[in-house]
Amino acid sequence: MLYTFLLLLVILFLAESTTATTIRLPIIKRPISSNRYEKRQNSNITTVTPRPTIESTKLYNDEGSEYLIRVGIGTPPQNFTLALDTGSSDLWIPSKECPSQSCPLARFDTNQSTTYKKTNNPFKIIYGIGNASGTYVRDTISVGQLQVQNQLFGLAKQTDDIVAPGLSSDDLQELLSQGSHVHKGDDMIDDKDEIANGIFGLGYPHLASSLSHPINKSSKDDNTYTNDPFVFNLAKQGLIAEPVFSIYMGSMFDEGWVGEILFGGIDQDMYQEPLIYAPVVSFEKNKSNAPHTYWMTHGQGIRVVHENQSRLVDHVFSEKHGFIIDTGTTLTYMDHAIANQVVQAAVGERNVVLDDASGTYIVPCNMDSLSGQLQLFLIADKQQNKTNNNNKRQEKNGKQKESHDDDDDNEDFILINVPMRDLVIPLDNDDLGKATQCMFGIAPWLPSDSETANQLGNQGFVLVGDTVLRSTYLVFDMGNDRIGFASARATGGYVTRESSNSINNKNNNIDDHGNSDNSSVKKIASSSSHQGLLIEFSLSTIMLFITIIISIENYLI
């Protein structure tokens, strides 16, 4: 009898040990240059599952411009710090064969990994400015305690304006020669670990560059290898407790390893209720069965609200527009005319200039006292709305009130509120109060060499970058193809649910390109192909802007 009892205890212990646990991983934040502002051009679960896990890792946040994650590649792991990017699907790192001029940081040595496999398939990814090229390979990818074997990724033999884009050659050489360590929280971290040395794509499989270069399997019947991104392999192979990952970025002014990405779950300590979902929609809206590519939802409006709740900009789209949720882009991009209205409503007509070279708005830095808010309206998940509406109809005695079909047909909105002061980004100092050069966190779509950027701009897409997303706690649900938004802890912004009446009650008659009969935006045609803002400057202001424009290229992606 005693042996039976002990055996039962062992069985219970083993059963408990196979339940999901939590793994946390860090995000790092790093300033980036203008060539990263423009985005690149373009299930059956049958795996035997090890212990399903919820894994959390820190993210490094450096001045609100880029968020970085530590990743181990190969066996034994060679460590790389990569930019976290929900706007792309490729994972790539520099190869040892890449010249040090193009790849000045850590480079992957294939001879040192016992699990490395080559494919001989070409790899190339193109950004607005800059690119990386090489070959596709397979190896074990490790993030915290999570591992995916035979993961497909790009091994770059050449990069252009991608690795460490925000550092001058002198600064980079000084950093590499020092080899010093600094203390960040509980970890001793090498300075070089705080510079992006590749990309960690979290987008859908159909966005990956490998679709343009089919990767050969060893045989027609070989289903061992997949071409899915790392995070989708985690879900398909049952390595995480739930097919979700969630991201907390922290405030723009939080420095170091302060963000978090959670694979397989949601961290309720990082946000405030409600957590509201929006369905992911296809990029090809005219094809009903088109696969998902971007983490994209539908949006209906953009608004700027004064502290007294008066609406300075009230732009409601006549039809739904795609809002791409992209952690890999610093700024938030929208139609040129709408962006003009937003920035002028925020800082005033005479306090802004558009730098055509970088495509950014330059604004005074003494705007930290701005009191207004930028608001984005996203269309909430209808099924979640119906569930919430039914719950609201429950009376205290448990009986349901009469249901009205019209209530269910009305769409609810996710309202993301971002303080205007959080959209003023210092360029020459970590402290906004001491900075003399600043840019605005909203930017216009301008004609570009990037085919994808032009397509997004011409079709009215909004690319929602870190300037807005850091106010939210984000949940990316791969199983249900939806994105959850909640108010992020310890940030100035917040997320609420609004009824359709809230957005339909608008002040201005504005079309989908920001044109209004009552618009206060003044414009003149510039000597280039872009439209500029009509701005009056004193001589000292003009000289200040010239200084800012010269220095901005050293900061932007």
Side-chain angles (χ1 to χ4, degrees):
M1 188 68 180
L2 176 61
Y3 293 110
T4 302
F5 177 73
L6 292 175
L7 180 59
L8 287 173
L9 286 179
V10 171
I11 292 173
L12 288 173
F13 174 79
L14 291 175
E16 179 65 21
S17 67
T18 57
T19 58
T21 57
T22 300
I23 307 174
R24 301 181 180 276
L25 299 172
I27 300 182
I28 320 176
K29 170 183 141 192
R30 180 80 194 171
I32 45 185
S33 65
S34 60
N35 41 351
R36 286 285 310 285
Y37 281 150
E38 298 183 55
K39 299 310 293 180
R40 73 171 183 82
Q41 304 190 54
N42 269 7
S43 66
N44 293 322
I45 303 176
T46 58
T47 311
V48 177
T49 64
R51 179 180 175 186
T53 304
I54 303 175
E55 173 78 22
S56 170
T57 188
K58 296 276 188 182
L59 299 178
Y60 185 85
N61 174 12
D62 188 358
E63 301 173 12
S65 58
E66 190 174 32
Y67 293 82
L68 310 179
I69 184 172
R70 285 180 177 149
V71 178
I73 314 287
T75 307
Q78 299 175 43
N79 295 322
F80 290 83
T81 300
L82 309 180
L84 194 78
D85 189 5
T86 59
S88 68
S89 299
D90 291 278
L91 189 162
W92 66 264
I93 58 172
S95 165
K96 189 177 180 180
E97 299 179 37
C98 183
S100 58
Q101 294 85 350
S102 298
C103 303
L105 304 176
R107 292 174 291 173
F108 185 71
D109 187 348
T110 59
N111 294 324
Q112 298 301 315
S113 175
T114 60
T115 48
Y116 164 78
K117 297 179 180 68
K118 63 181 180 180
T119 70
N120 295 323
N121 293 92
F123 160 77
K124 185 168 186 179
I125 187 167
I126 301 174
Y127 295 86
I129 299 177
N131 60 78
S133 60
T135 58
Y136 280 104
V137 300
R138 296 187 185 276
D139 211 329
T140 299
I141 305 294
S142 305
V143 178
Q145 298 178 33
L146 294 172
Q147 280 192 351
V148 172
Q149 298 178 357
N150 297 313
Q151 174 65 50
L152 183 73
F153 63 95
L155 199 55
K157 298 180 180 179
Q158 181 67 41
T159 71
D160 181 21
D161 292 333
I162 297 292
V163 177
L167 296 180
S168 67
S169 57
D170 292 341
D171 290 341
L172 185 59
Q173 190 60 40
E174 180 181 358
L175 176 63
L176 296 178
S177 63
Q178 289 175 353
S180 60
H181 290 73
V182 294
H183 189 269
K184 296 283 187 179
D186 296 330
D187 300 322
M188 294 298 292
I189 300 173
D190 195 304
D191 286 341
K192 297 188 288 295
D193 284 346
E194 299 175 5
I195 303 175
N197 193 23
I199 303 295
F200 190 74
L202 296 167
Y204 276 88
H206 278 82
L207 187 60
S209 294
S210 58
L211 288 183
S212 301
H213 306 283
I215 309 302
N216 297 327
K217 296 181 179 180
S218 57
S219 69
K220 293 182 179 179
D221 298 326
D222 184 4
N223 293 319
T224 304
Y225 303 152
T226 72
N227 299 339
D228 290 333
F230 173 82
V231 68
F232 282 84
N233 274 330
L234 289 179
K236 288 187 175 183
Q237 296 178 23
L239 300 176
I240 49 179
E242 299 291 340
V244 303
F245 63 95
S246 51
I247 296 176
Y248 170 80
M249 295 181 177
S251 167
M252 177 176 68
F253 299 104
D254 291 338
E255 296 184 9
W257 298 85
V258 295
E260 174 186 280
I261 181 169
L262 191 68
F263 295 99
I266 302 172
D267 189 344
Q268 296 182 352
D269 292 334
M270 290 296 182
Y271 70 91
Q272 296 177 340
E273 294 283 359
L275 174 61
I276 315 168
Y277 287 93
V280 174
V281 297
S282 172
F283 186 77
E284 301 178 76
K285 57 184 178 181
N286 295 326
K287 296 183 180 180
S288 58
N289 296 324
H292 297 308
T293 52
Y294 293 104
W295 285 103
M296 181 175 73
T297 72
H298 276 146
Q300 198 75 56
I302 297 171
R303 182 180 291 168
V304 176
V305 179
H306 192 268
E307 60 180 339
N308 63 10
Q309 297 305 306
S310 62
R311 301 174 187 179
L312 305 179
V313 174
D314 192 6
H315 183 88
V316 179
F317 300 124
S318 59
E319 59 181 27
K320 302 172 184 176
H321 281 220
F323 280 52
I324 298 173
I325 309 304
D326 185 1
T327 62
T329 297
T330 304
L331 304 183
T332 294
Y333 286 83
M334 59 186 64
D335 182 87
H336 193 169
I338 301 174
N340 283 353
Q341 294 178 358
V342 170
V343 66
Q344 289 203 18
V347 302
E349 294 184 34
R350 300 186 180 185
N351 293 320
V352 58
V353 65
L354 175 63
D355 174 25
D356 280 353
S358 63
T360 60
Y361 294 114
I362 308 303
V363 297
C365 295
N366 59 350
M367 293 290 176
D368 55 339
S369 60
L370 292 177
S371 56
Q373 297 225 349
L374 172 70
Q375 298 180 338
L376 302 185
F377 286 84
L378 308 181
I379 297 176
D381 186 278
K382 207 158 195 175
Q383 188 60 43
Q384 184 186 20
N385 296 344
K386 289 184 178 181
T387 301
N388 291 337
N389 289 339
N390 289 336
N391 291 337
K392 290 177 182 178
R393 296 185 189 117
Q394 296 284 344
E395 296 182 350
K396 290 182 179 180
N397 60 8
K399 295 181 179 179
Q400 286 192 347
K401 295 182 180 180
E402 182 181 357
S403 175
H404 300 282
D405 292 338
D406 291 343
D407 294 340
D408 291 336
D409 290 337
N410 289 335
E411 288 181 313
D412 280 0
F413 293 95
I414 301 170
L415 181 60
I416 300 177
N417 298 265
V418 182
M420 281 297 180
R421 62 180 177 273
D422 287 355
L423 296 175
V424 179
I425 302 173
L427 297 174
D428 60 345
N429 197 298
D430 293 346
D431 186 344
L432 183 60
K434 298 178 181 179
T436 60
Q437 304 169 12
C438 292
M439 68 178 176
F440 197 63
I442 304 298
W445 289 117
L446 296 178
S448 166
D449 293 334
S450 167
E451 179 181 343
T452 298
N454 289 331
Q455 181 182 12
L456 294 177
N458 293 337
Q459 295 184 17
F461 286 89
V462 177
L463 189 67
V464 186
D466 297 341
T467 51
V468 169
L469 296 180
R470 69 172 58 95
S471 292
T472 69
Y473 184 80
L474 297 166
V475 179
F476 297 88
D477 188 339
M478 297 173 283
N480 295 302
D481 294 317
R482 60 181 186 170
I483 309 172
F485 300 85
S487 303
R489 176 181 58 81
T491 61
Y494 62 93
V495 176
T496 60
R497 180 189 298 276
E498 298 290 334
S499 68
S500 57
N501 293 333
S502 174
I503 191 171
N504 290 331
N505 181 21
K506 61 178 183 174
N507 297 339
N508 299 327
N509 180 22
I510 309 176
D511 66 23
D512 281 0
H513 295 285
N515 302 314
S516 169
D517 294 338
N518 301 319
S519 173
S520 61
V521 178
K522 300 177 181 178
K523 306 172 186 175
I524 58 172
S526 65
S527 58
S528 69
S529 60
H530 308 318
Q531 291 294 314
L533 299 178
L534 179 60
I535 309 168
E536 301 174 19
F537 296 108
S538 65
L539 179 59
S540 60
T541 303
I542 293 175
M543 294 304 296
L544 175 61
F545 280 138
I546 291 175
T547 303
I548 294 172
I549 292 170
I550 291 174
S551 64
I552 194 173
E553 297 299 332
N554 292 328
Y555 177 90
L556 296 178
I557 307 178

